[in-house]
Amino acid sequence: MSWETIFRPSIFKLSAYSSARSITQSIGIIPSQYMDANEFPMAPSLETGMAWENTLHRYPSPQPTKLLAAFSQIYQVPSKNILITRGSDEAIDVLTRAVCDSVDEAILITPPTYGMYEVSADIQNTAVIKVSLLCKENEWSLDLEKIKFKLTDPKTKIKMVYICSPNNPTGTVFEQKEIISLLEILPSHTLLVLDQAYFEFAPDDQSVDLLQRYPQLVILRTLSKAWGLAGLRCGVLLGNEELVSVLQKVRAPYPIPTPVAELALTALTPQGQQMMRSRVAEIIQERENLKQQLLQLPQTRRVFPSETNFLLVEFNDASLVMSQSAMQGIVLRDRSSQIANCVRITVGSKDENQKLLQCLQTIQHQPTSSP
């Protein structure tokens, strides 16, 4: 038999999303320290009597009412404007399947940025238009003029524009006036998707206030980062009521397992919110300490400003940093394919950060590649 006759041709051409851990596993390294996926370094303290154990013989609510109310209170958005998803990745997938229909349509992304936007578009056989970020004096910014040119080009039908802010992997927060300037010129057939997975590390952002004024705006948030619940797989899509209603037709029938909903509710209590904010403050302090110590290493060329729980670091030789770290069981994220000699480092606990620095200090006298 031939699998080519079963699957869509575009699927065979697809480059799947590849994590640092899958790469490490494929070469037989057993990690002892994860600093690659921007998870929180400590597990949250959840107190649950697991009363839901007696309800697992029933399907869960497709959109748990109590959890919707909790997100509504935290984000100050009515429940009717919220879609609970299995992390932001499912929101990206649902949006792409609902909005993008053919190779004649496209999404626009601003690399270097999160890889799942492109993967989801490729699965849907949708074109990907790339407008690279501008970098000047260590600061990243949107190329607004080029984005606007692409949006108004009659030869291209762009259905979605993805802006990740704070951006992964650069750590950059884009100014709200830039987002508004794009919303003001969006074609009627285009959504602007603002991915705010790292929102809690830059909480002064007021983009949620724009939802009422701009029905084509979609905001994504998640419990995977600042809330320390990456293993729970729970996020939300915030958007226009009618848009959310349409997406309800595309999502899985029962996407949020009962234990997920119950544990998320436990984390979102006022006490849980206060704990999250306190721990975020700790990570921000650790981020600044790690940045200063990285800058003292001969291997380090520069550390980009960050408003997230990770740092993008340019080294003399990123491949050497990656290999030496892997040998010490430390998993980092190589971003050299997007930004030459750059590695993304998740801020860990104080002990984890010190272990990483000790590892990097051992390679400071080894030869470095040319700039």
Side-chain angles (χ1 to χ4, degrees), residues 4-275:
E4 286 82 355
T5 62
I6 296 177
F7 291 107
R8 290 160 36 208
S10 60
I11 297 298
F12 280 97
K13 300 176 184 178
L14 177 68
S15 295
Y17 182 80
S18 178
S19 69
R21 291 174 204 186
S22 61
I23 296 171
T24 303
Q25 185 177 13
S26 69
I27 59 178
I29 292 176
I30 301 176
S32 60
Q33 187 165 311
Y34 295 104
M35 303 181 77
D36 60 310
N38 305 336
E39 301 146 317
F40 215 80
M42 299 87 75
S45 300
L46 302 179
E47 297 179 7
T48 173
M50 296 187 294
W52 39 263
E53 286 182 341
N54 295 326
T55 68
L56 295 183
H57 61 300
R58 303 293 186 191
Y59 284 113
S61 169
Q63 292 285 283
T65 304
K66 291 182 179 179
L67 189 54
L68 278 172
F71 281 126
S72 176
Q73 184 273 326
I74 289 172
Y75 297 136
Q76 295 297 290
V77 174
S79 294
K80 63 187 179 183
N81 296 95
I82 300 173
L83 180 73
I84 306 175
T85 58
R86 291 169 290 195
S88 295
D89 291 333
E90 185 184 35
I92 294 165
D93 175 65
V94 167
L95 279 166
T96 309
R97 288 189 290 119
V99 171
C100 301
D101 192 38
S102 71
V103 73
D104 296 323
E105 298 176 343
I107 68 166
L108 186 148
I109 62 175
T110 58
T113 193
Y114 185 43
M116 279 306 298
Y117 313 140
E118 185 170 2
V119 170
S120 292
D122 288 344
I123 291 172
Q124 198 65 12
N125 202 28
T126 296
V128 179
I129 294 173
K130 301 179 181 181
V131 178
S132 296
L133 296 177
L134 303 173
C135 185
K136 184 178 181 181
E137 297 179 355
N138 293 352
E139 297 285 348
W140 299 88
S141 62
L142 296 169
D143 190 340
L144 289 174
E145 292 306 313
K146 192 169 184 179
I147 294 174
K148 291 176 180 179
F149 174 79
K150 294 291 185 181
L151 285 172
T152 54
D153 184 353
K155 296 178 292 186
T156 307
K157 189 176 184 180
I158 296 174
K159 298 300 294 289
M160 288 193 292
V161 176
Y162 278 101
I163 303 293
C164 187
S165 180
N167 186 48
N168 173 13
T170 65
T172 313
V173 172
F174 302 113
E175 294 185 21
Q176 184 166 298
K177 65 181 181 181
E178 296 179 292
I179 305 302
I180 292 174
S181 72
L182 292 177
L183 288 166
E184 290 287 351
I185 57 94
L186 278 184
S188 60
H189 56 257
T190 307
L191 295 177
L192 191 152
V193 183
L194 187 59
D195 186 346
Q196 296 191 316
Y198 301 93
F199 162 76
E200 290 83 2
F201 294 94
D204 292 337
D205 181 277
Q206 299 297 317
S207 297
V208 74
D209 296 339
L210 302 176
L211 289 171
Q212 288 187 328
R213 290 168 50 193
Y214 299 100
Q216 290 165 268
L217 174 64
V218 177
I219 295 176
L220 309 182
R221 292 183 180 169
T222 183
L223 300 185
S224 295
K225 306 303 181 183
W227 293 90
L229 294 169
L232 209 58
R233 308 308 301 126
C234 185
V236 293
L237 178 151
L238 311 176
N240 174 269
E241 179 182 0
E242 188 173 353
L243 178 142
V244 170
S245 178
V246 172
L247 294 180
Q248 296 280 11
K249 303 176 182 180
V250 184
R251 61 159 174 77
Y254 304 100
I256 311 301
T258 299
V260 169
E262 293 296 329
L263 288 169
L265 277 172
T266 303
L268 297 177
T269 60
Q271 295 85 350
Q273 294 176 50
Q274 179 56 43
M275 180 179 294

